[in-house]
Amino acid sequence: MLILTNGRVITQDQNNPYIENGAVVIKKEKIVAIGNTEEILKKYPDEEIIDVENKIIMPGIINTHHHIYSAFARGMASKGKAPKDFIEILEGLWWKIDKKLTLEDLKYSAYTTYIDCIKNGVTTVFDHNASPYAVKNSLFTIANVAQKLGLRTCLCYEVSDRDGEEILKDGIDENINFIKEYNNNSQNMIKGMFGLHAAFTLSDESLAMCREKMKGINAGYHVHVAEGKADLEDSLKKYGKRVVERLNEFGILGKKTLAVHCIHVDDNELNILKNTDTYVVHNPESNMGNAVGCQPFLKLFEKGIITGLGTDGYTSDMFESMKVANIIHKHVNQNPSVAWGEVPEAMFKNNRKIAGEYFEGELGILKEGALADVIVVDYDPLTPLTENNINSHILFGMMGRSVVTTIINGKVVMKDRKLIEIDEKEIFKQSRTVAQKLWDRM
């Protein structure tokens, strides 16, 4: 067993939200006890101890929408014209990069992104991959990296018409093969979803094909929904329907599906999302960076739609996304009193619910019987920290790089900012070499 002691424990358990001088006891992949340090040590006197020295102990963070494949765009010079809208960003950057990706690129994109996640306290990642000329085994390549690093992840490949029918079918097969391999076995670290790019890059025939292939498959869809106006305009022009309406007609929505973004949606579409129990994921930094608009986040909550928080590849720091989510809705609504409750609910409660659709056991919470995904954050509060002001301290006092220790499934994968049994410097050195080769091909 392993015991974290002398910590300020933020549990995310409403029945026991905060312990001032707390300890967490871990046995194998589960938390077996939580309580006051002195009492815990009396009960478990001879176990391995990590004294966190009054730092914060809290649940590992869940990111419900990421893009590992986008990693090598960082620092890359743009050779085209400056984009004026979202479609030009897609055509001028992302759809050029994804066509050049190899399995080696994906391998090192996964290594470096997952390491960044671990170092930012993210222990579970839902990723959405695109590599049209390296589709086969792309998800298995990424999963292999996650297994080596010990990170929990749910993967999918984005099916799209834009690269032709053969690649579309390859994407369908990669999703189905991966889901069959990982969703029907006993392990609880790697799972799969069926990825779709977006409605505007999928014909009715393609959506029908995807639906047919998903019959009897234990997974939902992971799809970008009404992210830019072009998605809505395309749907209205070609099909006379709004995006959510069209996806619903093809059975894409439902209990295990992630509808990512949902910016350009109307009230009827929100009702559809609610009535189908579809999950929505908010990505505030990416939306601002792409200038696509602001999700009607507060209205989603009013409707009772379970909305989580992701990063969309923009960053791996979920604390950062939480900060931006908090202020963007105040700014857009011109009301400084909104989003205080909804944002932490999205990050800490709703992301937990989304993860619960794919992983057995409780994630995102510290309590007896929960999965032992735990982080230690180097934060010494300058004002009293109590169960009534936890979210304020997280929002204004913590950031991803404040995380010093990350434990996933009961295993210490990072301690004192150093990954265990992983040569991080060598991986990043190789990554720079591989990235340069990609840039040279662009």
Side-chain angles (χ1 to χ4, degrees):
M1 285 195 289
L2 172 66
I3 307 178
L4 303 179
T5 64
N6 296 315
R8 295 181 171 96
V9 184
I10 297 173
T11 67
Q12 297 301 334
D13 178 2
Q14 62 181 7
N15 296 318
N16 183 30
Y18 179 68
I19 306 170
E20 173 63 26
N21 182 22
V24 178
V25 184
I26 296 168
K27 183 178 182 180
K28 295 182 178 180
E29 76 279 5
K30 295 285 186 69
I31 295 170
V32 296
I34 185 169
N36 176 269
T37 292
E38 184 178 350
E39 294 172 357
I40 289 291
L41 290 178
K42 285 180 180 178
K43 188 175 181 180
Y44 302 94
D46 300 316
E47 306 299 336
E48 179 186 355
I49 290 173
I50 296 178
D51 185 345
V52 308
E53 300 175 337
N54 294 318
K55 297 181 180 68
I56 303 294
I57 302 173
M58 61 188 291
I61 306 298
I62 300 163
N63 183 347
T64 48
H65 184 65
H66 210 334
H67 283 300
I68 284 170
Y69 86 88
S70 70
F72 287 168
R74 186 183 299 183
M76 186 180 72
S78 176
K79 297 179 181 178
K81 65 177 183 178
K84 295 293 191 290
D85 57 33
F86 184 48
I87 293 297
E88 290 188 5
I89 292 173
L90 293 175
E91 293 175 344
L93 176 60
W94 300 119
W95 292 351
K96 286 184 177 179
I97 285 180
D98 67 20
K99 287 178 173 60
K100 300 294 184 180
L101 292 171
T102 66
L103 292 182
E104 184 181 38
D105 295 323
L106 292 177
K107 173 184 174 181
Y108 281 96
S109 293
Y111 262 120
T112 51
T113 301
Y114 281 144
I115 286 172
D116 204 25
C117 289
I118 289 168
K119 297 190 83 168
N120 282 284
V122 175
T123 55
T124 300
V125 178
F126 283 69
D127 191 71
H128 196 275
N129 182 53
S131 52
Y133 292 93
V135 179
K136 189 175 181 180
N137 290 322
S138 60
L139 300 184
F140 293 88
T141 297
I142 296 170
N144 185 54
V145 174
Q147 287 172 325
K148 288 181 177 178
L149 293 174
L151 187 136
R152 203 182 302 273
T153 197
C154 185
L155 305 176
C156 71
Y157 184 86
E158 63 160 54
V159 173
S160 171
D161 287 337
R162 66 179 185 270
D163 298 298
E165 185 175 357
E166 183 178 346
I167 291 174
L168 171 106
K169 291 180 178 178
D170 285 345
I172 292 173
D173 289 343
E174 184 69 6
N175 279 313
I176 296 297
N177 291 338
F178 189 81
I179 292 167
K180 285 182 176 179
E181 174 70 23
Y182 284 100
N183 288 24
N184 298 318
N185 58 26
S186 60
Q187 60 78 36
N188 198 35
M189 296 297 289
I190 311 289
K191 298 296 177 182
M193 300 184 71
F194 193 107
L196 301 171
H197 172 248
F200 75 99
T201 65
L202 286 160
S203 67
D204 280 355
E205 292 75 17
S206 296
L207 286 174
M209 189 186 305
C210 293
R211 178 184 60 192
E212 183 66 25
K213 293 291 185 178
M214 276 285 277
K215 286 183 177 178
I217 299 295
N218 178 31
Y221 298 88
H222 190 162
V223 55
H224 303 101
V225 176
E227 180 178 3
K229 283 185 179 179
D231 196 6
L232 171 60
E233 291 167 352
D234 178 87
S235 191
L236 290 172
K237 181 179 179 180
K238 291 180 181 177
Y239 310 102
K241 303 162 188 169
R242 297 180 71 91
V243 176
V244 172
E245 294 170 340
R246 180 168 173 247
L247 292 175
N248 189 44
E249 288 186 5
F250 280 92
I252 303 301
L253 305 181
K255 182 66 173 171
K256 285 180 171 285
T257 287
L258 300 186
V260 182
H261 301 300
C262 292
I263 295 171
H264 301 282
V265 291
D266 67 8
D267 202 59
N268 181 58
E269 288 176 287
L270 295 183
N271 289 334
I272 293 171
L273 291 168
K274 170 62 178 175
N275 293 335
T276 55
D277 292 322
T278 301
Y279 295 104
V280 173
V281 182
H282 183 31
N283 302 272
E285 288 180 289
S286 170
N287 296 161
M288 293 174 74
N290 288 325
V292 291
C294 180
Q295 184 197 71
F297 180 75
L298 301 177
K299 187 173 286 188
L300 286 162
F301 271 79
E302 289 174 7
K303 290 281 188 180
I305 299 166
I306 297 174
T307 304
L309 194 63
T311 63
D312 200 28
Y314 201 88
T315 178
S316 292
D317 185 348
M318 287 291 293
F319 291 93
E320 189 178 290
S321 285
M322 181 183 178
K323 295 176 196 300
V324 175
N326 176 266
I327 58 177
I328 187 176
H329 300 292
K330 291 174 170 57
H331 175 71
V332 168
N333 289 276
Q334 298 182 48
N335 185 346
S337 297
V338 302
W340 291 111
E342 292 89 347
V343 169
E345 183 173 345
M347 179 152 159
F348 299 117
K349 183 178 179 181
N350 292 349
N351 276 5
R352 184 196 315 165
K353 290 180 180 178
I354 291 169
E357 293 291 339
Y358 289 90
F359 298 99
E360 295 294 328
E362 290 191 87
L363 290 166
I365 190 169
L366 302 184
K367 71 175 187 179
E368 184 177 335
L371 292 168
D373 289 6
V374 186
I375 60 175
V376 178
V377 184
D378 187 3
Y379 174 64
D380 190 9
L382 74 162
T383 57
L385 171 57
T386 73
E387 64 179 69
N388 298 315
N389 63 13
I390 288 168
N391 291 331
S392 178
H393 278 278
I394 294 173
L395 184 66
F396 296 107
M398 301 181 200
M399 60 184 67
R401 298 195 184 278
S402 302
V403 176
V404 293
T405 296
T406 301
I407 299 168
I408 306 176
N409 209 43
K411 180 182 178 182
V412 179
V413 297
M414 182 181 76
K415 187 178 180 183
D416 298 328
R417 296 293 295 169
K418 292 184 179 180
L419 272 74
I420 308 299
E421 298 178 355
I422 297 293
D423 191 341
E424 182 183 346
K425 288 187 180 297
E426 181 60 28
I427 288 171
F428 274 73
K429 179 182 176 182
Q430 291 295 324
S431 175
R432 288 189 290 272
T433 299
V434 175
Q436 184 63 58
K437 291 178 182 177
L438 171 66
W439 291 3
D440 292 343
R441 297 194 301 271
M442 294 298 293

